mmCIF file of all heavy atoms in Angstrom:
data_model
loop_
_atom_site.group_PDB
_atom_site.id
_atom_site.type_symbol
_atom_site.label_atom_id
_atom_site.label_comp_id
_atom_site.label_asym_id
_atom_site.label_seq_id
_atom_site.Cartn_x
_atom_site.Cartn_y
_atom_site.Cartn_z
ATOM 1 N N VAL A 1 23.338 44.062 -30.201
ATOM 2 C CA VAL A 1 22.913 45.437 -30.466
ATOM 3 C C VAL A 1 23.287 45.755 -31.911
ATOM 4 O O VAL A 1 24.459 45.917 -32.254
ATOM 5 C CB VAL A 1 23.583 46.429 -29.492
ATOM 6 C CG1 VAL A 1 23.153 47.848 -29.825
ATOM 7 C CG2 VAL A 1 23.226 46.082 -28.050
ATOM 8 N N TYR A 2 22.297 45.822 -32.791
ATOM 9 C CA TYR A 2 22.546 46.051 -34.210
ATOM 10 C C TYR A 2 22.764 47.528 -34.512
ATOM 11 O O TYR A 2 23.578 47.888 -35.349
ATOM 12 C CB TYR A 2 21.363 45.537 -35.037
ATOM 13 C CG TYR A 2 21.289 44.031 -35.132
ATOM 14 C CD1 TYR A 2 20.491 43.305 -34.266
ATOM 15 C CD2 TYR A 2 22.025 43.346 -36.099
ATOM 16 C CE1 TYR A 2 20.418 41.921 -34.362
ATOM 17 C CE2 TYR A 2 21.958 41.971 -36.198
ATOM 18 C CZ TYR A 2 21.154 41.259 -35.324
ATOM 19 O OH TYR A 2 21.086 39.905 -35.417
ATOM 20 N N PHE A 3 21.999 48.372 -33.832
ATOM 21 C CA PHE A 3 21.998 49.775 -34.257
ATOM 22 C C PHE A 3 21.391 50.629 -33.154
ATOM 23 O O PHE A 3 20.485 50.200 -32.448
ATOM 24 C CB PHE A 3 21.156 49.928 -35.525
ATOM 25 C CG PHE A 3 21.185 51.311 -36.118
ATOM 26 C CD1 PHE A 3 22.337 51.813 -36.687
ATOM 27 C CD2 PHE A 3 20.048 52.100 -36.116
ATOM 28 C CE1 PHE A 3 22.359 53.084 -37.243
ATOM 29 C CE2 PHE A 3 20.061 53.370 -36.666
ATOM 30 C CZ PHE A 3 21.229 53.854 -37.235
ATOM 31 N N SER A 4 21.914 51.820 -32.990
ATOM 32 C CA SER A 4 21.344 52.745 -32.001
ATOM 33 C C SER A 4 20.996 54.054 -32.693
ATOM 34 O O SER A 4 21.755 54.556 -33.515
ATOM 35 C CB SER A 4 22.344 53.009 -30.867
ATOM 36 O OG SER A 4 23.560 53.502 -31.389
ATOM 37 N N PHE A 5 19.834 54.595 -32.357
ATOM 38 C CA PHE A 5 19.450 55.912 -32.873
ATOM 39 C C PHE A 5 20.070 56.979 -31.974
ATOM 40 O O PHE A 5 20.000 56.881 -30.755
ATOM 41 C CB PHE A 5 17.930 56.058 -32.849
ATOM 42 C CG PHE A 5 17.223 55.161 -33.823
ATOM 43 C CD1 PHE A 5 15.924 54.759 -33.581
ATOM 44 C CD2 PHE A 5 17.837 54.718 -34.978
ATOM 45 C CE1 PHE A 5 15.255 53.942 -34.464
ATOM 46 C CE2 PHE A 5 17.186 53.903 -35.866
ATOM 47 C CZ PHE A 5 15.885 53.498 -35.613
ATOM 48 N N ILE A 6 20.667 57.978 -32.568
ATOM 49 C CA ILE A 6 21.376 58.996 -31.795
ATOM 50 C C ILE A 6 20.515 60.250 -31.716
ATOM 51 O O ILE A 6 20.600 61.133 -32.565
ATOM 52 C CB ILE A 6 22.754 59.313 -32.412
ATOM 53 C CG1 ILE A 6 23.516 58.025 -32.700
ATOM 54 C CG2 ILE A 6 23.538 60.233 -31.484
ATOM 55 C CD1 ILE A 6 23.787 57.158 -31.488
ATOM 56 N N THR A 7 19.668 60.316 -30.741
ATOM 57 C CA THR A 7 18.794 61.450 -30.433
ATOM 58 C C THR A 7 17.875 61.812 -31.597
ATOM 59 O O THR A 7 17.992 61.305 -32.710
ATOM 60 C CB THR A 7 19.571 62.715 -30.026
ATOM 61 O OG1 THR A 7 20.050 63.417 -31.175
ATOM 62 C CG2 THR A 7 20.713 62.387 -29.105
ATOM 63 N N TRP A 8 16.963 62.734 -31.310
ATOM 64 C CA TRP A 8 15.998 63.172 -32.319
ATOM 65 C C TRP A 8 16.615 64.108 -33.355
ATOM 66 O O TRP A 8 15.970 64.487 -34.321
ATOM 67 C CB TRP A 8 14.801 63.845 -31.651
ATOM 68 C CG TRP A 8 15.155 64.944 -30.695
ATOM 69 C CD1 TRP A 8 15.454 64.822 -29.367
ATOM 70 C CD2 TRP A 8 15.244 66.343 -30.974
ATOM 71 N NE1 TRP A 8 15.730 66.052 -28.812
ATOM 72 C CE2 TRP A 8 15.604 67.002 -29.770
ATOM 73 C CE3 TRP A 8 15.036 67.100 -32.125
ATOM 74 C CZ2 TRP A 8 15.761 68.375 -29.694
ATOM 75 C CZ3 TRP A 8 15.205 68.474 -32.045
ATOM 76 C CH2 TRP A 8 15.569 69.094 -30.832
ATOM 77 N N LYS A 9 17.902 64.466 -33.201
ATOM 78 C CA LYS A 9 18.561 65.326 -34.186
ATOM 79 C C LYS A 9 19.421 64.521 -35.166
ATOM 80 O O LYS A 9 20.158 65.089 -35.967
ATOM 81 C CB LYS A 9 19.421 66.372 -33.468
ATOM 82 C CG LYS A 9 18.583 67.352 -32.635
ATOM 83 C CD LYS A 9 19.456 68.343 -31.898
ATOM 84 C CE LYS A 9 19.949 69.427 -32.819
ATOM 85 N NZ LYS A 9 18.894 70.327 -33.274
ATOM 86 N N ASP A 10 19.319 63.193 -35.119
ATOM 87 C CA ASP A 10 20.047 62.314 -36.028
ATOM 88 C C ASP A 10 19.601 62.573 -37.477
ATOM 89 O O ASP A 10 18.415 62.519 -37.791
ATOM 90 C CB ASP A 10 19.751 60.867 -35.626
ATOM 91 C CG ASP A 10 20.484 59.841 -36.485
ATOM 92 O OD1 ASP A 10 21.240 60.253 -37.381
ATOM 93 O OD2 ASP A 10 20.295 58.640 -36.255
ATOM 94 N N LEU A 11 20.562 62.840 -38.373
ATOM 95 C CA LEU A 11 20.233 63.216 -39.747
ATOM 96 C C LEU A 11 20.683 62.178 -40.778
ATOM 97 O O LEU A 11 20.741 62.468 -41.967
ATOM 98 C CB LEU A 11 20.868 64.569 -40.088
ATOM 99 C CG LEU A 11 20.342 65.781 -39.316
ATOM 100 C CD1 LEU A 11 21.140 67.028 -39.688
ATOM 101 C CD2 LEU A 11 18.868 66.005 -39.594
ATOM 102 N N ARG A 12 20.960 60.954 -40.329
ATOM 103 C CA ARG A 12 21.451 59.964 -41.285
ATOM 104 C C ARG A 12 20.413 59.585 -42.337
ATOM 105 O O ARG A 12 20.767 59.121 -43.416
ATOM 106 C CB ARG A 12 21.938 58.720 -40.529
ATOM 107 C CG ARG A 12 23.361 58.872 -40.009
ATOM 108 C CD ARG A 12 23.756 57.720 -39.128
ATOM 109 N NE ARG A 12 23.141 57.831 -37.810
ATOM 110 C CZ ARG A 12 23.475 57.063 -36.773
ATOM 111 N NH1 ARG A 12 24.391 56.125 -36.927
ATOM 112 N NH2 ARG A 12 22.897 57.219 -35.608
ATOM 113 N N ALA A 13 19.154 59.765 -42.019
ATOM 114 C CA ALA A 13 18.099 59.422 -42.987
ATOM 115 C C ALA A 13 17.589 60.656 -43.734
ATOM 116 O O ALA A 13 16.545 60.595 -44.378
ATOM 117 C CB ALA A 13 16.942 58.730 -42.271
ATOM 118 N N ASP A 14 18.329 61.761 -43.670
ATOM 119 C CA ASP A 14 17.848 63.021 -44.236
ATOM 120 C C ASP A 14 17.543 62.914 -45.728
ATOM 121 O O ASP A 14 16.501 63.379 -46.193
ATOM 122 C CB ASP A 14 18.875 64.126 -43.985
ATOM 123 C CG ASP A 14 18.394 65.487 -44.453
ATOM 124 O OD1 ASP A 14 17.284 65.881 -44.048
ATOM 125 O OD2 ASP A 14 19.101 66.146 -45.234
ATOM 126 N N ASP A 15 18.444 62.287 -46.499
ATOM 127 C CA ASP A 15 18.200 62.148 -47.940
ATOM 128 C C ASP A 15 16.948 61.314 -48.200
ATOM 129 O O ASP A 15 16.164 61.608 -49.123
ATOM 130 C CB ASP A 15 19.408 61.495 -48.619
ATOM 131 C CG ASP A 15 20.600 62.429 -48.698
ATOM 132 O OD1 ASP A 15 20.408 63.649 -48.548
ATOM 133 O OD2 ASP A 15 21.734 61.942 -48.892
ATOM 134 N N MET A 16 16.758 60.291 -47.396
ATOM 135 C CA MET A 16 15.585 59.433 -47.541
ATOM 136 C C MET A 16 14.308 60.210 -47.234
ATOM 137 O O MET A 16 13.279 60.055 -47.916
ATOM 138 C CB MET A 16 15.723 58.234 -46.605
ATOM 139 C CG MET A 16 14.706 57.138 -46.809
ATOM 140 S SD MET A 16 15.043 55.729 -45.731
ATOM 141 C CE MET A 16 16.439 54.991 -46.588
ATOM 142 N N VAL A 17 14.355 61.062 -46.208
ATOM 143 C CA VAL A 17 13.199 61.896 -45.853
ATOM 144 C C VAL A 17 12.813 62.788 -47.033
ATOM 145 O O VAL A 17 11.639 62.891 -47.403
ATOM 146 C CB VAL A 17 13.510 62.752 -44.604
ATOM 147 C CG1 VAL A 17 12.432 63.804 -44.387
ATOM 148 C CG2 VAL A 17 13.628 61.871 -43.369
ATOM 149 N N LYS A 18 13.795 63.425 -47.638
ATOM 150 C CA LYS A 18 13.532 64.319 -48.765
ATOM 151 C C LYS A 18 12.962 63.543 -49.956
ATOM 152 O O LYS A 18 12.016 64.005 -50.618
ATOM 153 C CB LYS A 18 14.814 65.041 -49.164
ATOM 154 C CG LYS A 18 15.332 66.012 -48.108
ATOM 155 C CD LYS A 18 16.692 66.573 -48.490
ATOM 156 C CE LYS A 18 17.225 67.504 -47.404
ATOM 157 N NZ LYS A 18 18.592 67.973 -47.705
ATOM 158 N N GLU A 19 13.542 62.382 -50.231
ATOM 159 C CA GLU A 19 13.079 61.581 -51.369
ATOM 160 C C GLU A 19 11.639 61.112 -51.181
ATOM 161 O O GLU A 19 10.818 61.190 -52.103
ATOM 162 C CB GLU A 19 14.007 60.380 -51.557
ATOM 163 C CG GLU A 19 15.391 60.748 -52.086
ATOM 164 C CD GLU A 19 16.342 59.571 -52.075
ATOM 165 O OE1 GLU A 19 15.876 58.436 -51.796
ATOM 166 O OE2 GLU A 19 17.544 59.774 -52.328
ATOM 167 N N TRP A 20 11.331 60.624 -50.001
ATOM 168 C CA TRP A 20 9.979 60.138 -49.745
ATOM 169 C C TRP A 20 8.964 61.280 -49.799
ATOM 170 O O TRP A 20 7.885 61.136 -50.384
ATOM 171 C CB TRP A 20 9.916 59.435 -48.392
ATOM 172 C CG TRP A 20 10.203 57.971 -48.488
ATOM 173 C CD1 TRP A 20 11.397 57.338 -48.281
ATOM 174 C CD2 TRP A 20 9.272 56.931 -48.829
ATOM 175 N NE1 TRP A 20 11.271 55.992 -48.474
ATOM 176 C CE2 TRP A 20 9.979 55.703 -48.807
ATOM 177 C CE3 TRP A 20 7.919 56.926 -49.148
ATOM 178 C CZ2 TRP A 20 9.355 54.485 -49.094
ATOM 179 C CZ3 TRP A 20 7.307 55.708 -49.428
ATOM 180 C CH2 TRP A 20 8.022 54.510 -49.405
ATOM 181 N N ASN A 21 9.278 62.411 -49.189
ATOM 182 C CA ASN A 21 8.310 63.512 -49.138
ATOM 183 C C ASN A 21 8.002 64.085 -50.519
ATOM 184 O O ASN A 21 6.910 64.622 -50.745
ATOM 185 C CB ASN A 21 8.817 64.622 -48.210
ATOM 186 C CG ASN A 21 8.687 64.256 -46.751
ATOM 187 O OD1 ASN A 21 7.876 63.399 -46.374
ATOM 188 N ND2 ASN A 21 9.472 64.899 -45.898
ATOM 189 N N SER A 22 8.944 63.973 -51.448
ATOM 190 C CA SER A 22 8.719 64.496 -52.795
ATOM 191 C C SER A 22 8.297 63.410 -53.781
ATOM 192 O O SER A 22 8.128 63.687 -54.971
ATOM 193 C CB SER A 22 9.993 65.170 -53.315
ATOM 194 O OG SER A 22 11.070 64.253 -53.377
ATOM 195 N N SER A 23 8.107 62.190 -53.293
ATOM 196 C CA SER A 23 7.791 61.062 -54.176
ATOM 197 C C SER A 23 6.346 61.115 -54.649
ATOM 198 O O SER A 23 5.469 61.706 -54.015
ATOM 199 C CB SER A 23 8.048 59.741 -53.443
ATOM 200 O OG SER A 23 7.106 59.562 -52.387
ATOM 201 N N ALA A 24 6.103 60.442 -55.771
ATOM 202 C CA ALA A 24 4.740 60.343 -56.301
ATOM 203 C C ALA A 24 3.833 59.589 -55.338
ATOM 204 O O ALA A 24 2.636 59.886 -55.238
ATOM 205 C CB ALA A 24 4.774 59.638 -57.657
ATOM 206 N N THR A 25 4.401 58.630 -54.632
ATOM 207 C CA THR A 25 3.614 57.861 -53.662
ATOM 208 C C THR A 25 3.041 58.763 -52.583
ATOM 209 O O THR A 25 1.843 58.692 -52.251
ATOM 210 C CB THR A 25 4.485 56.771 -53.006
ATOM 211 O OG1 THR A 25 4.958 55.875 -54.016
ATOM 212 C CG2 THR A 25 3.685 55.987 -51.975
ATOM 213 N N MET A 26 3.889 59.632 -52.012
ATOM 214 C CA MET A 26 3.434 60.513 -50.946
ATOM 215 C C MET A 26 2.473 61.573 -51.479
ATOM 216 O O MET A 26 1.506 61.948 -50.796
ATOM 217 C CB MET A 26 4.631 61.171 -50.260
ATOM 218 C CG MET A 26 5.476 60.203 -49.451
ATOM 219 S SD MET A 26 4.535 59.369 -48.156
ATOM 220 C CE MET A 26 4.108 60.769 -47.123
ATOM 221 N N LYS A 27 2.736 62.064 -52.669
ATOM 222 C CA LYS A 27 1.823 63.039 -53.263
ATOM 223 C C LYS A 27 0.446 62.416 -53.483
ATOM 224 O O LYS A 27 -0.588 63.043 -53.247
ATOM 225 C CB LYS A 27 2.396 63.568 -54.578
ATOM 226 C CG LYS A 27 3.627 64.445 -54.399
ATOM 227 C CD LYS A 27 4.203 64.881 -55.731
ATOM 228 C CE LYS A 27 5.448 65.739 -55.528
ATOM 229 N NZ LYS A 27 6.086 66.113 -56.819
ATOM 230 N N GLY A 28 0.441 61.157 -53.920
ATOM 231 C CA GLY A 28 -0.823 60.456 -54.101
ATOM 232 C C GLY A 28 -1.537 60.206 -52.794
ATOM 233 O O GLY A 28 -2.770 60.340 -52.707
ATOM 234 N N LEU A 29 -0.765 59.867 -51.762
ATOM 235 C CA LEU A 29 -1.352 59.650 -50.438
ATOM 236 C C LEU A 29 -1.994 60.922 -49.908
ATOM 237 O O LEU A 29 -3.117 60.900 -49.382
ATOM 238 C CB LEU A 29 -0.279 59.166 -49.464
ATOM 239 C CG LEU A 29 -0.690 58.990 -48.005
ATOM 240 C CD1 LEU A 29 -1.717 57.870 -47.873
ATOM 241 C CD2 LEU A 29 0.531 58.699 -47.123
ATOM 242 N N ARG A 30 -1.306 62.053 -50.085
ATOM 243 C CA ARG A 30 -1.845 63.319 -49.593
ATOM 244 C C ARG A 30 -3.087 63.735 -50.378
ATOM 245 O O ARG A 30 -4.072 64.215 -49.802
ATOM 246 C CB ARG A 30 -0.766 64.402 -49.652
ATOM 247 C CG ARG A 30 0.347 64.219 -48.609
ATOM 248 C CD ARG A 30 1.245 65.438 -48.512
ATOM 249 N NE ARG A 30 2.184 65.520 -49.616
ATOM 250 C CZ ARG A 30 3.427 65.049 -49.583
ATOM 251 N NH1 ARG A 30 3.870 64.432 -48.510
ATOM 252 N NH2 ARG A 30 4.227 65.183 -50.627
ATOM 253 N N LEU A 31 -3.051 63.542 -51.693
ATOM 254 C CA LEU A 31 -4.201 63.899 -52.520
ATOM 255 C C LEU A 31 -5.406 63.018 -52.179
ATOM 256 O O LEU A 31 -6.537 63.521 -52.029
ATOM 257 C CB LEU A 31 -3.856 63.758 -54.003
ATOM 258 C CG LEU A 31 -5.002 64.025 -55.000
ATOM 259 C CD1 LEU A 31 -5.532 65.444 -54.835
ATOM 260 C CD2 LEU A 31 -4.538 63.779 -56.430
ATOM 261 N N GLY A 32 -5.170 61.730 -52.051
ATOM 262 C CA GLY A 32 -6.260 60.821 -51.701
ATOM 263 C C GLY A 32 -6.858 61.145 -50.352
ATOM 264 O O GLY A 32 -8.082 61.106 -50.166
ATOM 265 N N SER A 33 -6.003 61.508 -49.404
ATOM 266 C CA SER A 33 -6.479 61.866 -48.062
ATOM 267 C C SER A 33 -7.294 63.148 -48.097
ATOM 268 O O SER A 33 -8.286 63.284 -47.373
ATOM 269 C CB SER A 33 -5.287 62.018 -47.114
ATOM 270 O OG SER A 33 -4.581 60.806 -46.986
ATOM 271 N N GLN A 34 -6.881 64.101 -48.953
ATOM 272 C CA GLN A 34 -7.636 65.347 -49.085
ATOM 273 C C GLN A 34 -9.033 65.083 -49.619
ATOM 274 O O GLN A 34 -10.027 65.653 -49.143
ATOM 275 C CB GLN A 34 -6.899 66.309 -50.017
ATOM 276 C CG GLN A 34 -7.599 67.637 -50.228
ATOM 277 C CD GLN A 34 -7.765 68.429 -48.940
ATOM 278 O OE1 GLN A 34 -6.784 68.715 -48.264
ATOM 279 N NE2 GLN A 34 -8.985 68.774 -48.582
ATOM 280 N N ILE A 35 -9.133 64.182 -50.583
ATOM 281 C CA ILE A 35 -10.444 63.823 -51.134
ATOM 282 C C ILE A 35 -11.302 63.145 -50.070
ATOM 283 O O ILE A 35 -12.494 63.467 -49.910
ATOM 284 C CB ILE A 35 -10.274 62.906 -52.362
ATOM 285 C CG1 ILE A 35 -9.593 63.683 -53.499
ATOM 286 C CG2 ILE A 35 -11.623 62.351 -52.824
ATOM 287 C CD1 ILE A 35 -9.174 62.810 -54.669
ATOM 288 N N LEU A 36 -10.695 62.222 -49.318
ATOM 289 C CA LEU A 36 -11.438 61.519 -48.271
ATOM 290 C C LEU A 36 -11.890 62.484 -47.172
ATOM 291 O O LEU A 36 -12.987 62.346 -46.629
ATOM 292 C CB LEU A 36 -10.574 60.407 -47.673
ATOM 293 C CG LEU A 36 -10.339 59.193 -48.577
ATOM 294 C CD1 LEU A 36 -9.306 58.258 -47.956
ATOM 295 C CD2 LEU A 36 -11.647 58.454 -48.818
ATOM 296 N N TYR A 37 -11.031 63.474 -46.869
ATOM 297 C CA TYR A 37 -11.430 64.459 -45.851
ATOM 298 C C TYR A 37 -12.600 65.298 -46.348
ATOM 299 O O TYR A 37 -13.534 65.605 -45.597
ATOM 300 C CB TYR A 37 -10.255 65.353 -45.479
ATOM 301 C CG TYR A 37 -10.664 66.463 -44.537
ATOM 302 C CD1 TYR A 37 -11.028 66.199 -43.221
ATOM 303 C CD2 TYR A 37 -10.715 67.792 -44.976
ATOM 304 C CE1 TYR A 37 -11.423 67.204 -42.363
ATOM 305 C CE2 TYR A 37 -11.110 68.804 -44.122
ATOM 306 C CZ TYR A 37 -11.468 68.502 -42.820
ATOM 307 O OH TYR A 37 -11.869 69.510 -41.977
ATOM 308 N N THR A 38 -12.555 65.698 -47.612
ATOM 309 C CA THR A 38 -13.648 66.489 -48.189
ATOM 310 C C THR A 38 -14.971 65.738 -48.109
ATOM 311 O O THR A 38 -16.021 66.334 -47.834
ATOM 312 C CB THR A 38 -13.327 66.828 -49.656
ATOM 313 O OG1 THR A 38 -12.095 67.549 -49.718
ATOM 314 C CG2 THR A 38 -14.439 67.679 -50.268
ATOM 315 N N LEU A 39 -14.923 64.432 -48.316
ATOM 316 C CA LEU A 39 -16.136 63.626 -48.288
ATOM 317 C C LEU A 39 -16.605 63.279 -46.880
ATOM 318 O O LEU A 39 -17.805 63.233 -46.605
ATOM 319 C CB LEU A 39 -15.913 62.331 -49.082
ATOM 320 C CG LEU A 39 -15.636 62.486 -50.579
ATOM 321 C CD1 LEU A 39 -15.274 61.148 -51.198
ATOM 322 C CD2 LEU A 39 -16.848 63.094 -51.289
ATOM 323 N N SER A 40 -15.649 63.035 -45.980
ATOM 324 C CA SER A 40 -16.016 62.511 -44.651
ATOM 325 C C SER A 40 -15.871 63.520 -43.520
ATOM 326 O O SER A 40 -16.481 63.352 -42.463
ATOM 327 C CB SER A 40 -15.153 61.293 -44.326
ATOM 328 O OG SER A 40 -13.795 61.674 -44.112
ATOM 329 N N ARG A 41 -15.013 64.538 -43.707
ATOM 330 C CA ARG A 41 -14.672 65.538 -42.678
ATOM 331 C C ARG A 41 -14.013 64.903 -41.460
ATOM 332 O O ARG A 41 -14.034 65.470 -40.357
ATOM 333 C CB ARG A 41 -15.909 66.344 -42.240
ATOM 334 C CG ARG A 41 -16.752 66.891 -43.356
ATOM 335 C CD ARG A 41 -15.933 67.636 -44.405
ATOM 336 N NE ARG A 41 -15.378 68.893 -43.896
ATOM 337 C CZ ARG A 41 -14.620 69.705 -44.620
ATOM 338 N NH1 ARG A 41 -14.294 69.382 -45.855
ATOM 339 N NH2 ARG A 41 -14.164 70.829 -44.093
ATOM 340 N N ARG A 42 -13.408 63.743 -41.621
ATOM 341 C CA ARG A 42 -12.712 63.094 -40.509
ATOM 342 C C ARG A 42 -11.319 63.681 -40.353
ATOM 343 O O ARG A 42 -10.561 63.816 -41.327
ATOM 344 C CB ARG A 42 -12.633 61.581 -40.737
ATOM 345 C CG ARG A 42 -13.980 60.882 -40.657
ATOM 346 C CD ARG A 42 -13.845 59.392 -40.961
ATOM 347 N NE ARG A 42 -12.954 58.725 -40.005
ATOM 348 C CZ ARG A 42 -12.605 57.445 -40.118
ATOM 349 N NH1 ARG A 42 -13.050 56.719 -41.134
ATOM 350 N NH2 ARG A 42 -11.817 56.904 -39.213
ATOM 351 N N LYS A 43 -10.958 64.030 -39.114
ATOM 352 C CA LYS A 43 -9.685 64.701 -38.863
ATOM 353 C C LYS A 43 -8.487 63.834 -39.231
ATOM 354 O O LYS A 43 -7.414 64.350 -39.571
ATOM 355 C CB LYS A 43 -9.606 65.116 -37.396
ATOM 356 C CG LYS A 43 -10.533 66.268 -37.040
ATOM 357 C CD LYS A 43 -10.316 66.719 -35.613
ATOM 358 C CE LYS A 43 -11.189 67.929 -35.276
ATOM 359 N NZ LYS A 43 -10.960 68.386 -33.889
ATOM 360 N N ARG A 44 -8.654 62.537 -39.145
ATOM 361 C CA ARG A 44 -7.554 61.651 -39.496
ATOM 362 C C ARG A 44 -7.115 61.890 -40.940
ATOM 363 O O ARG A 44 -5.919 61.907 -41.247
ATOM 364 C CB ARG A 44 -7.991 60.198 -39.309
ATOM 365 C CG ARG A 44 -6.892 59.180 -39.586
ATOM 366 C CD ARG A 44 -7.434 57.772 -39.511
ATOM 367 N NE ARG A 44 -6.397 56.797 -39.763
ATOM 368 C CZ ARG A 44 -6.586 55.646 -40.377
ATOM 369 N NH1 ARG A 44 -7.797 55.318 -40.799
ATOM 370 N NH2 ARG A 44 -5.592 54.803 -40.560
ATOM 371 N N PHE A 45 -8.059 62.090 -41.833
ATOM 372 C CA PHE A 45 -7.724 62.321 -43.241
ATOM 373 C C PHE A 45 -7.171 63.721 -43.459
ATOM 374 O O PHE A 45 -6.331 63.937 -44.348
ATOM 375 C CB PHE A 45 -8.949 62.078 -44.119
ATOM 376 C CG PHE A 45 -9.433 60.648 -44.100
ATOM 377 C CD1 PHE A 45 -10.758 60.357 -43.810
ATOM 378 C CD2 PHE A 45 -8.553 59.611 -44.339
ATOM 379 C CE1 PHE A 45 -11.197 59.042 -43.783
ATOM 380 C CE2 PHE A 45 -8.991 58.289 -44.316
ATOM 381 C CZ PHE A 45 -10.312 58.005 -44.036
#
């Protein structure tokens, strides 16, 4: 047993969550998805 997740309120990855959500990668992903949604109207985008 390498590791156990402690319920859905586990905050050990909190800093990582904040970093990823504000990253250029995620901003680019969201912008690209917005463009694809505008063109295709697919709910996934």
Side-chain angles (χ1 to χ4, degrees):
V1 178
Y2 286 96
F3 185 68
S4 56
F5 292 154
I6 311 300
T7 81
W8 52 273
K9 295 178 78 69
D10 181 1
L11 294 176
R12 277 173 284 190
D14 184 53
D15 288 342
M16 190 176 284
V17 169
K18 294 173 182 175
E19 289 172 8
W20 270 96
N21 285 338
S22 60
S23 68
T25 299
M26 291 301 296
K27 291 177 181 176
L29 175 66
R30 289 191 283 266
L31 177 60
S33 298
Q34 180 61 57
I35 294 170
L36 288 172
Y37 174 69
T38 302
L39 297 173
S40 69
R41 312 310 291 179
R42 292 177 60 185
K43 289 185 177 181
R44 183 186 180 214
F45 296 127

